[in-house]
Amino acid sequence: QVHVVESGGGLVQAGGSLRLSCAASGRTFSNYALGWFRQAPGKEREFVARVARGGTTDYADSVLGRFTISRDNAKNTAYLQMNSLKPEDTAVYYCAVDLSTRWIVREPGPYNYWGQGTQVTVSS
């Protein structure tokens, strides 16, 4: 089992920045990939970014160039640095763990464990 906890959400004005953290425990952190998803009111979960075991990254087109996903295996923590935030980025952001050997996974199904989410609100 893997326990996942997100933090770092909050309220920020458009154009601002925010960094989310994802702490995971229960398995060897370096052995799994992590993904960030988001869910706005009335919408399904949407893929945001993924960092694989070896550090390779994948981003949704909507955040490419603005968001950066990274991981610090020594701290058992992944991060999502969000810059140039837009009101449409407003959502609950979830961190998820993927124990599979795939290195690009954009759908939520394969992710095995999920955090409870952290709210990000971007004002105009």
Side-chain angles (χ1 to χ4, degrees):
Q1 303 294 315
V2 178
H3 186 234
V4 183
V5 179
E6 307 96 335
S7 62
L11 175 65
V12 64
Q13 292 191 20
S17 298
L18 205 61
R19 189 181 75 162
L20 306 183
S21 298
C22 172
S25 61
R27 297 283 187 102
T28 302
F29 185 84
S30 61
N31 285 351
Y32 48 78
L34 298 104
W36 285 97
F37 291 78
R38 65 188 182 187
Q39 187 168 15
K43 297 184 178 180
E44 300 294 327
R45 282 176 294 174
E46 175 189 23
F47 171 78
V48 176
R50 172 183 171 93
V51 58
R53 299 179 184 183
T56 55
T57 59
D58 182 40
Y59 297 94
D61 290 342
S62 60
V63 306
L64 187 64
R66 299 188 297 119
F67 291 10
T68 302
I69 188 172
S70 62
R71 64 191 299 162
D72 186 337
N73 291 341
K75 297 181 178 180
N76 289 357
T77 303
Y79 304 95
L80 184 68
Q81 178 66 47
M82 304 184 294
N83 299 326
S84 301
L85 283 162
K86 305 174 181 179
E88 51 262 44
D89 295 319
T90 296
V92 176
Y93 282 70
Y94 298 91
C95 181
V97 167
D98 176 18
L99 301 178
S100 77
T101 58
R102 297 179 179 182
W103 59 281
I104 297 179
V105 179
R106 293 188 171 190
E107 65 276 14
Y111 288 83
N112 306 92
Y113 303 100
W114 294 79
Q116 295 302 306
T118 185
Q119 176 71 49
V120 172
T121 302
V122 184
S123 62
S124 300

